[in-house]
């Protein structure tokens, strides 16, 4: 068994993981499947928006000159030979001294230069009394006034939300070029682990890290395949990983410490993966590298260590691989409500809850206290050169929710 060989700072290890995970390829996906994805190329409008002059109101298409003298008590009467509902494609030109009844979104007929809204008429079907004048251009949406044909409507790097997908659909894009979701293979090891729903024997615990990691990957738009019940056996470990050749990243939890029976270290040491300590609490033991061509990130097995180091090291790398420019959790500062102690030379992260301008630690620093992590909405960051933080001091906060 090879021991820990390297010690790195939090920032150095973060950079190491960022360089390990390659960018995902850009693929075409149906537009309605692209929510939260990042555009891999500019989107150019193949049509104008609107694509034709259309009515902004239910009313009557007219020549403004024909109704210039209209007043509420001296209406101008015009025959209505044509109805134009939205979607009509065979548009009849408007003749002088006539009106076409028109619905919102319907094409403005040639010859018309204004729309009289129905509220300024008697609503006639065969003949209409117009009770107010209009200026040329009134209530007409001009072709291309929103988007010109050939204009770039969405830039590469845009995170696609509902409004962006609506715009893409409005200019006729059925597919969009987006960064493909990163495919993560999740493997949690330990002979003491039992799949939830099965009975526990004394000395066993329910396996939760794969649930956490898979959910965290899916939460940011990746896909996760979970390998369960892989025995603490090197050959079976290798076989389980090689059975998934399409994975982009292998993430393991557990089996990275300095003790005996550490199957992850046994299986990967000397095969492209290096195990080291990072100057962090909790979550110091870490492993990373490549198993063949497959990037590997090996996280410690204690659940809070797994969750925290995924947050700090792997989450930003996966987001960056999927094209995101903003990969870090938001930060703020607040006054801590109680004294904190931190080991010298390590960057400590304490689970906490933020309440306005104050922040309160939740639970202790122990890496097994998963309930306190679930109850937290932020992390207090204590720098490496700080060992004591008095109550009331201003501290750095990472916002989790």
């Amino acid at each position: 068994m090879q021991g820990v060989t390297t010690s790195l700072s939090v920032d150095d290890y973060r950079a190491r993981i960022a360089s390990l995970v390659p960018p995902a390829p850009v693929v075409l996906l149906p537009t309605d499947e692209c929510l939260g994805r990042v555009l891999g190329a500019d989107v150019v409008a193949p049509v104008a928006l609107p694509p034709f002059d259309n009515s902004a109101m239910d009313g009557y298409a007219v020549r403004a000159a024909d109704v210039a003298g209209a007043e509420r008590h001296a209406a101008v009467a015009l025959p209505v030979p044509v109805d134009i509902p939205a979607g009509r494609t065979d548009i009849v030109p408007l003749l002088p001294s006539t009106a076409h009844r028109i619905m919102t979104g319907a094409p403005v007929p040639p010859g018309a230069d204004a729309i009289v809204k129905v509220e300024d008429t008697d609503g006639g079907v065969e003949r209409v009394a117009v009770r107010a004048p209009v200026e040329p251009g009134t209530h007409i949406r001009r072709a291309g006034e929103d988007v010109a044909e050939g204009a770039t409507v969405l830039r590469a790097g845009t995170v696609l939300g509902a409004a962006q997908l609506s715009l893409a659909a409005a200019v006729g894009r059925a597919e969009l070029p987006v960064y493909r979701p990163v495919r993560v293979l999740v493997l949690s090891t330990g002979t003491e682990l039992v799949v939830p729903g099965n009975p526990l024997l004394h000395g066993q615990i329910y396996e939760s890290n794969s649930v956490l990691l898979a959910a965290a990957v899916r939460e940011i738009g990746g896909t996760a395949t979970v390998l369960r019940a892989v025995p603490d056996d090197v050959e079976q470990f290798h076989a389980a990983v090689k059975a998934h050749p399409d994975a982009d990243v292998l993430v393991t939890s557990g089996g990275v410490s300095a003790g005996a029976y550490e199957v992850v270290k046994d299986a990967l040491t000397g095969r492209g993966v290096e195990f080291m300590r990072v100057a962090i609490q909790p979550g110091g033991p870490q492993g990373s590298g490549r198993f063949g061509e497959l990037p590997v990130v090996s996280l410690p097995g204690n659940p809070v260590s797994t969750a925290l180091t995924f947050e700090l090291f792997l989450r930003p790398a996966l987001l960056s691989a999927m094209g995101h420019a903003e990969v870090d959790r938001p930060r703020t500062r607040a006054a801590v409500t109680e004294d904190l102690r931190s080991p010298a030379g390590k960057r400590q992260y304490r689970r906490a809850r933020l309440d306005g301008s104050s922040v309160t630690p939740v639970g202790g620093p122990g890496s097994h206290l998963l309930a306190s992590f679930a109850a937290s909405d932020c992390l207090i960051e204590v720098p490496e050169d700080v060992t004591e933080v008095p109550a009331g001091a201003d501290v750095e906060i990472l916002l989790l929710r």
Side-chain angles (χ1 to χ4, degrees), residues 158-192:
T158 299
V159 180
L160 296 170
Q164 291 75 32
L165 295 179
S166 174
L167 175 57
V171 297
R173 292 300 298 263
E175 296 180 319
L176 292 173
V178 294
Y179 286 89
R180 174 178 59 71
V182 173
R183 300 176 297 213
V184 179
L185 189 61
V186 176
L187 192 157
S188 186
T189 64
T191 55
E192 77 279 14

Side-chain angles (χ1 to χ4, degrees), residues 294-309:
L294 179 64
V296 177
V297 179
S298 293
L299 306 175
N302 279 326
V304 175
S305 296
T306 301
L308 174 67
T309 54

Side-chain angles (χ1 to χ4, degrees), residues 46 99 105 119 172 209 255 260 321 326-327 379 398:
E119 292 86 350
N209 283 352
E326 298 291 332
V327 300
L379 296 169
L398 280 71

Side-chain angles (χ1 to χ4, degrees), residues 5-146:
T5 60
T6 308
S7 180
L8 290 176
S9 71
V10 170
D11 293 335
D12 286 344
Y13 195 65
R14 174 184 164 97
R16 177 186 174 95
I17 300 303
S19 66
L20 181 66
V21 180
V26 174
V27 297
L28 281 175
L29 290 180
T31 297
D32 59 2
E33 295 179 12
C34 291
L35 181 64
R37 304 275 169 230
V38 178
L39 268 180
D42 291 349
V43 173
V44 175
V47 297
L49 194 63
F52 51 84
D53 291 356
N54 69 87
S55 177
M57 291 283 181
D58 291 339
Y60 297 83
V62 298
R63 297 171 185 262
D66 289 342
V67 296
E71 298 179 7
R72 182 154 297 279
H73 300 295
V76 172
L78 298 172
V80 182
V82 175
D83 268 0
I84 313 175
R88 182 168 177 173
T89 58
D90 58 330
I91 304 304
V92 179
L94 178 76
L95 298 178
S97 300
T98 67
H100 289 184
R101 192 168 68 149
I102 192 168
M103 301 300 119
T104 301
V108 176
D113 63 5
I115 305 296
V116 178
K117 62 183 180 179
V118 70
E119 292 86 350
D120 289 334
T121 73
D122 66 352
V125 175
E126 296 181 354
R127 192 171 184 83
V128 64
V130 178
R131 296 168 175 160
V134 289
E135 294 293 326
T138 300
H139 303 316
I140 293 178
R141 302 165 176 160
R142 295 299 182 187
E145 71 175 41
D146 187 11

Side-chain angles (χ1 to χ4, degrees), residues 10 13-14 17 278 280 309-317:
V10 170
Y13 195 65
R14 174 184 164 97
I17 300 303
V278 177
I280 187 174
T309 54
F310 176 91
E311 276 287 332
L312 295 177
F313 304 132
L314 191 53
R315 183 180 186 273

